[in-house]
DNA sequence: TGTACATCAGTGAACGCGCGTTCACTGATGTAC
DNA sequence: TGTACATCAGTGAACGCGCGTTCACTGATGTAC
């Protein structure tokens, strides 16, 4: 059942989009090719006409998620709004659409070297983007500013991880509140 | 091949110890029963005379790792020494012996409800212990002090996750340095 | 513009593999006499 | 203290299952005439 080139390109995008969501929801290892293909409305066999292997998909998915995250940072209205949205119950629940670094940071370290490398490149891009977003426009990028950006990122990622580990809403909201208050102090 | 009760108890401990190390190194899903049993010097069949299932082992392992982490916090000499050790290249590399929350926080959320519950209890205990460790002895536990403890934990866990994601030593050490400097400011 | 045909996106059966778990069996332990 | 025997920790083959990947096949696409 051949399909028009436009349709095929759409299928490829659908596979990639589904992978980005499912990987963040369940981790790289707990998502199968068949599941991703089904989410894109295809069967598992079709997957291999678009990607050479699961590893290749992982790498493309990481690149895509990082790109979107970095773009989101660049177009963010104000950093305190970004912080509040990041440290919100909504973000805690919406793993599949949320920060790829919080969702997959622990996972990526244990994958193949190619995946770790592409994830690491993502971290570099994230730090760069955050350093730019966190400074005033006239001030030049300084090591101190970069260090502050790294601290903020660590707080956000660690905070979201902690909040997601909380089984009760009470604990979750206490963690989120403490972090939102804490972020204000350090900025 | 029956074995003395003392030997059997030793084998149980060896299974639990091996599981704690391997889970932190590879995550819950990428470690098999056979691998854990082999690390303890047994075959996979013997595993089931000590634990009813892999899930039961995961829960016991989480409890054991949390207990040790909390004890380590209570007997820590000084908090800034603890921070420096936590944010060291050694801790980045020694995943199998390091902080279970940084190693498994992202993983635990995706496991069964029983595992998530026991992990969440661990987070509560960690926050309690850290709140106690971070305050001066005369001052009573206040909500503000608890909130500061949560912020410190988020910074440590997020920072270690970021540092572990770095593929190059340069990036890793930059992240660790930025965090060690940042922790001083907020304490 | 119509027709004949090569291309190739998608299908679904099949593969080898590793997993968690079960179970009949073994033989040292430790107890009852 | 010695002996006979029930217990049970440990072994290894076997199970069902889901995984990533392959491949012969299908039939609509899009091109060559």
């Amino acid at each position: 059942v051949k399909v028009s080139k436009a349709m095929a390109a759409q299928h490829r995008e659908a596979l990639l989009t589904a992978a980005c969501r499912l990987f963040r929801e369940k981790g790289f290892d707990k998502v199968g090719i068949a599941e991703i293909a089904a989410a894109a409305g295809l069967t598992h066999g079709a997957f291999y006409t678009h990607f050479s292997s699961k590893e290749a998909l992982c790498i493309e998915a990481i690149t895509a998620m990082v790109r979107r995250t970095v773009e989101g940072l660049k177009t963010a209205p104000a950093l305190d709004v970004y912080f509040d949205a990041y440290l919100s119950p909504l973000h805690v629940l919406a793993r599949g659409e949320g920060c790829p670094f919080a969702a997959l940071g622990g996972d990526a370290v244990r994958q193949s070297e190619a995946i770790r490398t592409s994830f690491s490149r993502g971290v570099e891009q994230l730090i760069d983007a955050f350093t730019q977003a966190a400074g005033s426009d006239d001030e030049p990028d300084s090591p101190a500013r970069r260090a502050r950006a790294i601290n903020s990122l660590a707080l956000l990622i660690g905070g979201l991880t902690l909040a997601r580990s909380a089984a009760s809403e009470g604990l979750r909201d206490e963690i989120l509140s403490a972090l939102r208050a804490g972020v204000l102090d350090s900025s």
Side-chain angles (χ1 to χ4, degrees), chain A:
Chain A
V1 190
K2 195 181 176 181
V3 130
S4 74
K5 287 200 169 181
M7 254 309 211
Q10 225 171 291
H11 288 167
R12 207 194 125 93
E13 273 306 297
L15 285 166
L16 196 58
T17 303
C20 287
R21 178 173 59 80
L22 289 167
F23 284 155
R24 279 178 287 187
E25 276 177 9
K26 307 190 174 186
F28 292 118
D29 297 320
K30 293 236 253 203
V31 182
I33 299 298
E35 188 181 2
I36 293 167
L42 298 169
T43 56
H44 62 274
F47 173 84
Y48 289 90
T49 66
H50 295 293
F51 301 93
S52 63
S53 66
K54 188 181 183 184
E55 190 191 34
L57 172 68
C58 288
I59 289 169
E60 275 209 51
I62 289 169
T63 307
M65 289 186 283
V66 168
R67 191 182 349 100
R68 211 163 301 181
T69 302
V70 166
E71 276 169 11
L73 252 172
K74 279 178 181 161
T75 64
L79 220 58
D80 59 338
V81 177
Y82 190 86
F83 279 155
D84 275 8
Y86 195 102
L87 297 168
S88 67
L90 214 102
H91 193 188
V92 169
L93 296 173
R95 269 207 312 269
E97 328 294 332
C99 174
F101 297 96
L104 296 167
D107 242 43
V109 194
R110 303 171 193 132
Q111 305 296 321
S112 72
E113 194 184 321
I115 290 179
R116 281 184 280 124
T117 301
S118 92
F119 201 87
S120 179
R121 252 196 295 272
V123 170
E124 294 187 64
Q125 290 175 44
L126 180 71
I127 293 175
D128 288 346
F130 211 89
T131 305
Q132 285 220 312
S136 43
D137 290 337
D138 46 354
E139 176 194 7
D141 284 14
S142 67
R145 199 167 127 188
R146 216 175 132 83
R148 252 183 291 127
I150 293 174
N151 272 271
S152 297
L153 284 173
L155 203 73
L156 290 179
I157 292 170
L160 190 59
T161 302
L162 272 180
R164 282 181 177 160
S165 301
S168 76
E169 288 192 22
L171 181 59
R172 182 198 70 188
D173 291 343
E174 188 199 4
I175 292 167
L176 292 177
S177 300
L179 288 165
R180 279 200 296 258
V183 159
L184 294 180
D185 296 349
S186 67
S187 70

